[in-house]
Amino acid sequence: MSRHPEPDLSSCEQEAIHAPGSIQPHGALLVVSATFLNVLQASANAPSLFGLSMPELLGSELSSVLGPEQFEALRELGARLPASGEPVLLRAVRIGSGPVLNAIGHRTGGAVVLEFEPGADGTGPPGGLHSVVAAFIAKVQAATTVADLAQRAATEVRALTGFDRALVYRFEPDGTGVVVGEDGNGRLPSYRGHRFPASDIPKQARELYRRNRLRLIPDVAYVPAELVPALNPVTGEPVDLSHAALRSVSPVHVEYMRNMGTAASMSVSVLKDGELWGLISCHHHAPKVVPFESRTTCDILAQVLALQVAAREHAADYERRVEIQSVLTRLLAHMARADDYVSGLLAHPGDLLGFVRAAGAAVVSDGRTGLVGRTPGEEQVRHLAAWLFREQKREVYHTDALSSAFPPAREYAADASGLLAVSVSKLHPTAVLWFRPEVIETVRWGGDPRKAVEPVTGRLHPRKSFETWSQTVRETAAPWLPSEVEGAGELRNAVLGIVLRKAEEMAALNVELQRSNRELEAFSYSVSHDLRAPLRHIVGYAELLKEAARDKLAAGELKYCDTIIESSIYAGKLVDNLLAYSRMGRAALDRTRVDLNALVREVRAEVMAGAPGRQVRWEVGPLPAVEGDLIMLRLAVQNLLSNAVKYTKPRNEAVIEIGCHTDAGAHTFHVRDNGVGFDMRYRDKLFGVFQRLHRWEDFEGTGIGLANVRRVVERHGGRAWAEGAVDRGATFYFTLPAPSNDEERGTC
């Protein structure tokens, strides 16, 4: 037998701690066949306990080792061992004139592991197990917080076992542990409120604590008793000792205990809903054996603690979920009443923030960014949303350390170290984001959590010091609760439902619109046919009457004929313009590349041909090429230039300027003149149908031209407006989208 080998932490995560091949020597262990007939393996110290040599033990029938009476009792009880591997105290046995031993059995890998350890001295807790558990239940029921529960559990376990120190150690989601309750006699240092790194209890060790709730190390200086033979002769594999109370300890943990200044330890797992919530961890300055009965009592106390923790955490979680559902219901009502869900959310910042207890929120949708509360800047939010759409494929994303995942977030960590985001649509990037501010926290560690590297060999060791080591943690926020993350997911589903319902409504409206358009087309044809013909007849017969009776009619009567003819021609133009205006709103755009320089030259020539003798100075700057419907754009340009020529008629020399500038992804065109202008109080009427600011007698027209301009521009994704002053000219503006590639914008 040899003492523990030198530990090597570089491979501790892969260490097979469940099958160490040895036990602690304060008891002995036998591996027997499932039928209890013969011994397959024995610990190296078993011969001294049973008075047989190792060759005599191995392969012999268990009845010859224990004696017929003891064997039959164990065999009867052992037949009822649970298949789960849970260890069971079978009975107290005595081998010859030796001490009373507790026989503990469990099943593993098709065999039965029997452990024999010294029994109790008969001095159990006053009043027995029932009184201890009943008293503890009464105490924890009076506790108001989880921290209070943990403190009472630590006090009770230390009183029951006599350890120098008992800690209640809660695991955080990242595997680190926090001491939330402690009781001690002052012999060992206090770790109340201290944190320990996840590497202190690696993942596979936490899994063992989940499977086997009790772990005792009565003497850290023990010499391991190895199993003989090392491999199970039936399976050819090392025996799994996960549920063995005597299982040997990892050399790394032994060194850890020595560095911590403890000679004995015991841990009891606290399982909440089947998962490892924490440990009740006990330490002593000297070797200490805790009988199985006392350990079992501690296990029951830990289960009571787990039930109480679960009850309180579930109650708090239920209250929070009810609150979330209440706010969610209000948000759904807000969105249903609004024109769109984005407006519904942003219009009620209290509910939007309180929904997940956020300090700020943002809604990013189709280039629109709405902010409420404490948030990063608008541009920063857009960059963050772009990263989420590009890198994060999850529908719900959350973190309490945003800068760790998205380094640019360090710039606004004070406002947004925590992020909870839901992606509503990937096709049209839309997301709702909630922010939590940075919480600067000073964490007290039980020693420097960083492991030192031995300079010579490079071999890693557990840290040697457990003195308080403080660390200031920045760029983190209060973590998001599972109920809040799930609530955000429910909101996303609700928004998708609203969007889908509106899409269905729009589809139904589109069908109705198509039907209405067909009816309107038929009506337009009827108007065109039924009105044009009578108007042509009126004009024709009035002209014939005027010519035939010219010699018989007085000058005033001839004027009446002229008025009939002019009015009928005007009515015909009005009908034509109205029909053109109607068709323009329904016709699909035939987009092509349109050179506005050439278009303006052609239209200007046509307009001047209709104004012979006019003195007009045209000042036309360089214009870009755009993507659009040539026929529609020609109509818009023709109306603007015609108006400029018409309303500068009182000027001896008309000056008409046409130009453009480009910024923010749009071309902005202007047509400026030195004509009669208009009163800005009435500018909203300019682009309406039949809205005129001047008398028809002074300036001819149907009042539809500018309405056509606005409709053309809006169909192309732009807008139109005007500025002017009475008798000081007017400027008409309109925008068209600019290509993203600067080379395609042209000179402007």
Side-chain angles (χ1 to χ4, degrees), residues 87-90 102-105 115 117-120 214 216 243 245 266 289-299:
V88 175
L89 177 62
L90 298 176
N102 282 331
I104 304 164
E115 299 178 81
E117 59 175 89
L214 284 166
L216 175 66
H243 290 285
M266 183 185 79
V289 174
V290 180
F292 184 86
E293 294 87 344
S294 297
R295 302 201 305 266
T296 302
T297 303
C298 291
D299 181 33

Side-chain angles (χ1 to χ4, degrees), residues 614-654:
R614 288 288 309 278
Q615 295 295 318
V616 179
R617 185 171 84 242
W618 295 90
E619 297 179 354
V620 183
L623 303 174
V626 298
E627 293 292 326
D629 187 301
L630 175 60
I631 294 176
M632 289 190 182
L633 290 176
R634 172 184 284 275
L635 177 62
V637 171
Q638 186 174 35
N639 277 303
L640 289 174
L641 299 192
S642 296
N643 275 0
V645 171
K646 177 168 59 178
Y647 289 105
T648 56
K649 188 163 53 175
R651 305 292 185 251
N652 292 328
E653 182 185 44

Side-chain angles (χ1 to χ4, degrees), residues 426-450:
K426 299 286 188 184
L427 181 61
H428 303 288
T430 304
V432 183
L433 299 85
W434 291 272
F435 304 103
R436 280 181 178 169
E438 176 185 40
V439 177
I440 301 175
E441 181 183 10
T442 299
V443 177
R444 293 185 302 162
W445 294 87
D448 188 338
R450 299 167 298 182

Side-chain angles (χ1 to χ4, degrees), residues 410-604:
R410 291 193 178 95
E411 296 178 10
Y412 45 85
D415 297 318
S417 284
L419 172 67
L420 172 59
V422 294
S423 172
V424 178
S425 172
K426 299 286 188 184
L427 181 61
H428 303 288
T430 304
V432 183
L433 299 85
W434 291 272
F435 304 103
R436 280 181 178 169
E438 176 185 40
V439 177
I440 301 175
E441 181 183 10
T442 299
V443 177
R444 293 185 302 162
W445 294 87
D448 188 338
R450 299 167 298 182
K451 290 181 175 151
V453 179
E454 187 176 280
V456 178
T457 64
R459 181 169 47 82
L460 295 173
H461 289 276
R463 59 187 183 280
K464 293 184 172 19
S465 172
F466 286 82
E467 292 183 3
T468 299
W469 188 84
S470 296
Q471 177 189 25
T472 300
V473 178
R474 304 186 65 98
E475 299 180 8
T476 61
W480 305 96
L481 298 176
S483 56
E484 294 165 342
V485 176
E486 293 169 15
E490 290 185 40
L491 177 66
R492 176 188 181 274
N493 293 335
V495 169
L496 286 176
I498 292 173
V499 172
L500 180 60
R501 186 169 65 252
K502 286 190 177 294
E504 292 173 347
E505 292 172 357
M506 290 299 294
L509 288 174
N510 190 48
V511 171
E512 180 63 22
L513 182 61
Q514 290 177 353
R515 185 188 63 79
S516 299
N517 279 340
R518 287 193 297 270
E519 293 180 355
L520 188 57
E521 289 286 355
F523 174 74
S524 297
Y525 177 80
S526 176
V527 168
S528 175
H529 181 272
D530 295 344
L531 282 182
R532 281 176 174 171
L535 289 172
R536 285 195 302 270
H537 291 164
I538 292 172
V539 172
Y541 283 113
E543 288 178 340
L544 288 173
L545 176 62
K546 178 182 174 182
E547 290 298 322
R550 179 181 296 276
D551 296 336
K552 300 176 184 179
L553 298 176
E557 292 169 337
L558 289 173
K559 181 64 176 175
Y560 296 155
C561 288
D562 289 338
T563 301
I564 293 172
I565 293 168
E566 290 174 1
S567 296
S568 299
I569 291 173
Y570 174 79
K573 289 182 178 179
L574 193 60
V575 169
D576 289 341
N577 287 343
L578 279 173
L579 291 174
Y581 180 79
S582 173
R583 284 193 297 269
M584 195 183 307
R586 304 190 306 273
L589 295 181
D590 182 14
R591 290 186 181 273
T592 59
R593 187 176 179 83
V594 179
D595 182 353
L596 286 182
N597 291 292
L599 179 61
V600 167
R601 282 196 301 269
E602 294 173 8
V603 172
R604 188 177 69 179

Side-chain angles (χ1 to χ4, degrees), residues 323-388:
E323 179 185 356
I324 288 173
Q325 288 300 318
S326 176
V327 179
L328 178 59
T329 300
R330 292 201 299 272
L331 286 174
L332 292 177
H334 299 329
M335 290 187 289
R337 287 193 295 266
D339 292 336
D340 60 274
Y341 77 90
V342 174
S343 301
L345 290 175
L346 295 176
H348 299 85
D351 283 341
L352 181 58
L353 298 179
F355 178 55
V356 291
R357 294 177 181 171
V363 183
V364 181
S365 176
D366 289 331
R368 172 186 176 189
T369 303
L371 307 178
V372 296
R374 185 176 175 183
T375 69
E378 184 174 333
E379 189 66 24
Q380 293 169 324
V381 169
R382 283 200 294 267
H383 287 161
L384 174 60
W387 171 75
L388 285 170

